[in-house]
Amino acid sequence: MEIKMKSIHFDATESLQAFIEKKVAKLEKSYEDIQKAEVQLKVVKPATALNKQASIEVTVPGSKLYVEKTCDTFEESVDQCVDSMRVQLTKFKEKMRSR
């Protein structure tokens, strides 16, 4: 699976990038046919708490799945995105099986 990352309004550290790659790569355990995952990190309303937004778009055969979460840290946002995406992938896999 190819993983693309994009940071908006800041530069992601190498440790943050490594964290994201490790977390997102685990999505393949939920659905092995993932073709691509795009992660976008964005700082929203910089002067407030809960301003770290992460989104993940996963491309699977015939469809794209998307989640977005905003938290205090990018790590927390990515964790929540991965959890939500895992649920979506499981539902998608069950839907494909029932066809």
Side-chain angles (χ1 to χ4, degrees):
M1 162 178 56
E2 174 189 357
I3 300 174
K4 290 186 179 179
M5 276 184 258
K6 185 176 177 183
S7 307
I8 300 173
H9 304 308
F10 78 102
D11 293 324
T13 63
E14 283 185 28
S15 61
L16 177 59
Q17 291 176 18
F19 173 84
I20 292 167
E21 291 223 6
K22 182 178 174 186
K23 288 286 183 179
V24 173
K26 288 182 180 179
L27 287 172
E28 282 189 303
K29 290 179 183 173
S30 299
Y31 193 77
E32 52 283 336
D33 292 333
I34 295 173
Q35 296 163 334
K36 180 171 63 172
E38 293 186 38
V39 180
Q40 183 170 296
L41 306 174
K42 183 164 52 173
V43 177
V44 291
K45 300 179 192 163
T48 63
L50 296 174
N51 68 340
K52 308 293 190 298
Q53 185 179 75
S55 65
I56 301 176
E57 182 179 271
V58 170
T59 304
V60 292
S63 192
K64 287 188 179 194
L65 307 174
Y66 181 84
V67 294
E68 180 179 285
K69 301 290 179 187
T70 305
C71 299
D72 275 332
T73 66
F74 283 118
E75 288 84 357
E76 187 181 1
S77 297
V78 169
D79 266 341
Q80 288 187 14
C81 280
V82 167
D83 289 345
S84 293
M85 184 59 73
R86 192 173 288 124
V87 170
Q88 279 194 41
L89 286 166
T90 301
K91 287 179 181 174
F92 181 79
K93 189 159 85 174
E94 288 168 4
K95 185 173 137 185
M96 296 311 286
R97 267 196 208 134
S98 66
R99 287 185 172 182

